[in-house]
Amino acid sequence: AQTVTQSQPEMSVQEAETVTLSCTYDTSENNYYLFWYKQPPSRQMILVIRQEAYKQQNATENRFSVNFQKAAKSFSLKISDSQLGDTAMYFCAREGGGSNYKLTFGKGTLLTVNP
Amino acid sequence: GAGVSQSPSNKVTEKGKDVELRCDPISGHTALYWYRQRLGQGLEFLIYFQGNSAPDKSGLPSDRFSAERTGESVSTLTIQRTQQEDSAVYLCASSADGGLGYGYTFGSGTRLTVV
């Protein structure tokens, strides 16, 4: 089975500090896509950032950036200048290339930002 | 519509009853997905629609679960003879196409509680 693994069930960080969430995945595809989604208590899944596997440059969206290591099949999320509103579950997900359209999710990391 | 709409937001049902969960995807999105999220868990794939057809039903956990999509828009997930283990949040998502790295837009989910 092609899996996505998030090894940190819970993490906490002080407001304004930086935190990194880990994700590793398995795939036999050469081209695929990786995502981080945020799920606050409202249950709404929100797309945070997206990475195309054939692009070597790490994606960045404002305070959010990724460290994509294709050979190691690693895709970590860095949140800079953490804010209270960043408190949420964070899910890493992989969408396979070609006909593999499904998003496969990790089990999530609960991030708490403390004042 | 502007987003993915799911109804009802919450549903409490007695064990053994049938329930229908509805999803209105973003207009023009051809791909539609249903996921199940048990308490404290990641997202579990149930079924994928491309247009009105369902090329992948592999995640449906039993024959008590079925889904349909009409007019390339609304989808209904039906659970017959509900059991307590069916209690979960059922999330619907849509995308402009499957497998092309657009990511999904999710609804807010239906929280199903079987008592």
Side-chain angles (χ1 to χ4, degrees):
Chain A
Q2 298 191 353
T3 58
V4 177
T5 302
Q6 295 178 248
S7 59
Q8 306 148 314
E10 294 186 37
M11 293 191 72
S12 62
V13 65
Q14 292 299 121
E15 195 174 7
E17 293 188 347
T18 295
V19 63
T20 299
L21 309 183
S22 301
C23 174
T24 58
Y25 59 92
D26 183 23
T27 184
S28 57
E29 300 286 340
N30 187 49
N31 191 26
Y32 49 91
Y33 306 92
L34 298 164
F35 306 87
W36 279 96
Y37 280 87
K38 168 185 176 180
Q39 188 180 41
S42 66
R43 288 201 314 246
Q44 184 74 51
M45 292 282 284
I46 301 165
L47 179 61
V48 174
I49 199 164
R50 169 181 179 270
Q51 175 81 40
E52 298 173 68
Y54 65 87
K55 288 188 176 179
Q56 294 186 337
Q57 186 173 5
N58 289 323
T60 299
E61 290 287 342
N62 301 313
R63 298 183 294 107
F64 299 87
S65 61
V66 300
N67 183 3
F68 174 49
Q69 302 290 328
K70 189 173 184 179
K73 295 188 173 68
S74 171
F75 181 61
S76 60
L77 174 70
K78 185 171 84 171
I79 306 173
S80 304
D81 186 26
S82 297
Q83 300 177 0
L84 297 179
D86 295 334
T87 293
M89 281 290 287
Y90 286 82
F91 292 97
C92 177
R94 177 188 51 77
E95 182 179 14
S99 62
N100 189 352
Y101 38 78
K102 283 188 289 194
L103 275 183
T104 300
F105 287 85
K107 291 188 183 299
T109 296
L110 176 60
L111 175 68
T112 302
V113 180
N114 298 308
Chain B
V4 178
S5 177
Q6 290 188 246
S7 60
S9 178
N10 291 282
K11 175 74 175 178
V12 180
T13 191
E14 292 181 352
K15 179 181 172 182
K17 300 282 190 184
D18 298 351
V19 295
E20 283 190 354
L21 312 180
R22 178 186 168 104
C23 174
D24 280 279
I26 291 174
S27 178
H29 277 192
T30 59
L32 186 147
Y33 311 81
W34 284 97
Y35 281 79
R36 179 169 70 178
Q37 186 178 24
R38 289 193 165 118
L39 185 63
Q41 300 296 310
L43 277 70
E44 175 187 7
F45 170 79
L46 296 179
I47 188 169
Y48 159 60
F49 286 93
Q50 181 62 42
N52 291 340
S53 65
D56 189 347
K57 308 177 183 178
S58 64
L60 294 178
S62 75
D63 59 7
R64 296 186 297 105
F65 287 72
S66 63
E68 64 178 19
R69 187 180 185 193
T70 56
E72 292 200 351
S73 57
V74 173
S75 176
T76 302
L77 177 68
T78 301
I79 309 173
Q80 295 178 309
R81 304 181 303 281
T82 51
Q83 304 294 313
Q84 287 185 330
E85 63 263 27
D86 299 334
S87 295
V89 174
Y90 290 83
L91 288 164
C92 175
S94 69
S95 69
D97 203 342
L100 296 182
Y102 294 112
Y104 299 175
T105 301
F106 282 86
S108 296
T110 295
R111 181 180 299 281
L112 176 66
T113 304
V114 182
V115 297

